[in-house]
Amino acid sequence: MTYAAITGWGKAMPPAVLTNADLSNFLDTNDEWIVSRTGMKERRVSHVPSAEMAVIACKRALACAGLEADEIDLIVYGSCSNDEQVPNTASGVQVAIGATKAAAMDVNTACTSFLYSLSTATALIRTGVVKKALVIGVEWISPFMDWDNRNVAVLFGDGCAAVVVEASDQQVGVLGEQLGCLADARQTLRVRGMGTAYVNRGVTLGDTSWDFDGQEIFKRAVQGMVQASQAVMQKCGVTPDQIDLVVPHQANLRIIDAVVSRSGVPADRVMLTVERYGNMSAATVPVALAEALEEGRVKPGALILMPAFGAGLTVCAHLVRWGDRITPLRESDAAFPPNNKSALDLVQAVRARKAGAHDRSGEGMRAPKFVENL
Ligand code: UT7
């Protein structure tokens, strides 16, 4: 039987830090509200596009696994903020890292995109289609953010991480997963202005505004992640006390606390990054995984539970058995280009661009009828 071991990992976190105090420069919000409702203190804003973050993370993950780019058979790019639709962004990463023999695909399930990408790569390895894959979780949300809407602007950040997945005859990697979608609640999180449905209504692509029902998402996210976690543990014959580490999607500290306590896993076995990075959508789980490894929180043979949810509302939980190696084989010297702008400068530039781009008062930003009816 072939399994799909995770043998390399690398993160690429943009250097510019946006604090809660920065946000209160242009929003009616404050540190006390954000920390008490979400657990977030700061998040990152990228000065480079998604694919550039992904290239850095991939080079670091490849070095960690001791592989060259031309040994990779498949790149799966998990994201909902792709730099381009056509050609896909994975092909841009392929050419930039020199993975000349790799197939390349983009997967978009919003915040769960990394884990759905991991399922895709694992399935293609386990069925013998490919042997070595790069799986990316990346998000450059800041250009698409509704910066003047305090309901959403305080919650999200940019970031990226990638893992290498390789065929193995040891019982490691994803042991099982539960995937699902609570599509009856898909209207609770909608980014208007990011697709052809809006362009056809005369909206400039990228001139976004967000529909966001935080309380409903909160409830459904907790229910969905708890059910998915219980289902995957049952499928794999694992009890909560056997879980060594939970690496959850990091949308809100209160959501994580509720999911972990209801799943029955001891509260100290959770990897948290939400305070420093906010919700990086597809990047949250792989960045938290990479940091758990850096901090020595993943032991050889560890059993890791990864529950997540995202717009759709997609939900999932993955159970991963770690292999023997918990340290990188090599280091990469890949790095971000210099940045002389503060995170607040970067955000203000997006706000200014959007303010000049469109008059939001008209018909244009209403969802087309077929979207509303779905
Ligand atoms: O990956 C998927 C992404 N989605 C999510 O993660 C959403 C999950 N939902 C949540 O995390 C929470 O529901 C929120 C953090 C979004 C909100 O927390 P809450 O405890 O559900 O707050 P609330 O919706 O009950 O809002 C309470 C108040 C409201 O004022 P009023 O109507 O009571 O006067 C809001 O207008 O807080 C106000 N508010 C804010 N105040 C200061 C909303 N956003 C802010 C803000 N700063 N940023």
Side-chain angles (χ1 to χ4, degrees):
M1 179 104 177
T2 304
Y3 293 90
I6 301 176
T7 58
W9 53 93
K11 67 174 202 240
M13 288 305 300
V17 176
L18 189 72
T19 63
N20 292 347
D22 288 331
L23 286 161
S24 52
N25 263 297
F26 59 91
L27 280 175
D28 179 14
T29 191
N30 57 73
D31 182 61
E32 197 280 325
W33 191 96
I34 301 172
V35 173
S36 63
R37 300 296 175 118
T38 70
M40 298 171 188
K41 289 189 175 159
E42 44 186 61
R43 65 287 296 143
R44 302 293 173 96
V45 179
S46 181
H47 63 293
V48 300
S50 308
E52 285 189 40
M53 285 191 271
V55 166
I56 298 165
C58 285
K59 286 182 176 172
R60 291 176 177 172
L62 284 168
C64 178
L67 293 180
E68 300 302 325
D70 64 2
E71 295 177 82
I72 294 294
D73 306 311
L74 172 70
I75 298 171
V76 191
Y77 185 95
S79 182
C80 62
S81 54
N82 302 38
D83 297 337
E84 288 178 293
Q85 296 298 322
V86 181
N88 70 9
T89 319
S91 60
V93 175
Q94 196 242 45
V95 76
I97 64 173
T100 47
K101 298 184 193 116
M105 70 168 88
D106 292 357
V107 167
N108 171 11
T109 56
C111 298
T112 57
S113 298
F114 169 76
L115 287 170
Y116 277 62
S117 299
L118 184 62
S119 287
T120 306
T122 298
L124 289 170
I125 287 173
R126 292 183 75 159
T127 50
V129 180
V130 300
K131 288 199 161 43
K132 293 176 174 39
L134 267 167
V135 179
I136 302 159
V138 55
E139 224 71 74
W140 192 30
I141 304 173
S142 53
F144 297 109
M145 181 42 68
D146 200 350
W147 283 110
D148 294 304
N149 177 354
R150 69 176 183 175
N151 294 321
V152 291
V154 304
L155 301 176
F156 292 87
D158 300 333
C160 178
V163 297
V164 171
V165 189
E166 291 186 68
S168 167
D169 52 15
Q170 293 185 345
Q171 197 181 2
V172 292
V174 176
L175 301 182
E177 67 264 72
Q178 181 72 23
L179 308 178
C181 184
L182 314 172
D184 61 309
R186 69 192 294 277
Q187 78 289 348
T188 58
L189 205 183
R190 167 170 282 137
V191 182
R192 295 169 184 269
M194 276 182 85
T196 51
Y198 300 96
V199 178
N200 288 342
R201 298 280 294 226
V203 177
T204 307
L205 199 63
D207 184 16
T208 52
S209 68
W210 291 44
D211 292 354
F212 190 82
D213 181 349
Q215 289 191 357
E216 185 62 17
I217 300 169
F218 193 114
K219 263 190 291 190
R220 303 291 294 250
V222 172
Q223 283 165 359
M225 284 197 285
V226 170
Q227 279 166 9
S229 298
Q230 287 168 342
V232 73
M233 285 192 278
Q234 197 175 20
K235 244 194 263 189
C236 297
V238 164
T239 52
D241 57 297
Q242 292 176 291
I243 301 292
D244 296 301
L245 190 65
V246 184
V247 180
H249 178 47
Q250 317 264 331
N252 185 320
L253 185 57
R254 293 185 295 142
I255 293 179
I256 297 173
D257 286 345
V259 170
V260 172
S261 75
R262 288 184 204 189
S263 303
V265 180
D268 58 344
R269 297 187 198 166
V270 186
M271 182 65 201
L272 296 174
T273 60
V274 64
E275 181 179 287
R276 286 170 293 133
Y277 300 145
N279 179 355
M280 299 178 288
S281 180
T284 55
V285 169
V287 167
L289 177 64
E291 294 207 347
L293 283 146
E294 285 164 13
E295 293 172 16
R297 294 197 65 186
V298 178
K299 307 290 180 212
L303 199 52
I304 304 173
L305 178 68
M306 301 175 172
F309 75 99
L313 298 175
T314 57
V315 288
C316 60
H318 288 57
L319 202 56
V320 167
R321 171 77 68 192
W322 202 259
D324 294 332
R325 189 166 52 77
I326 51 169
T327 51
L329 287 176
R330 294 199 308 256
E331 298 289 341
S332 159
D333 59 4
F336 280 87
N339 168 43
N340 57 10
K341 292 204 169 70
S342 70
L344 187 56
D345 287 345
L346 293 167
V347 168
Q348 295 292 27
V350 176
R351 289 182 71 229
R353 239 180 356 252
K354 288 178 80 171
H358 231 266
D359 168 14
R360 298 257 184 87
S361 57
E363 274 271 284
M365 292 307 287
R366 284 207 3 239
K369 241 189 162 27
F370 76 89
V371 173
E372 280 167 351
N373 290 343
L374 277 179

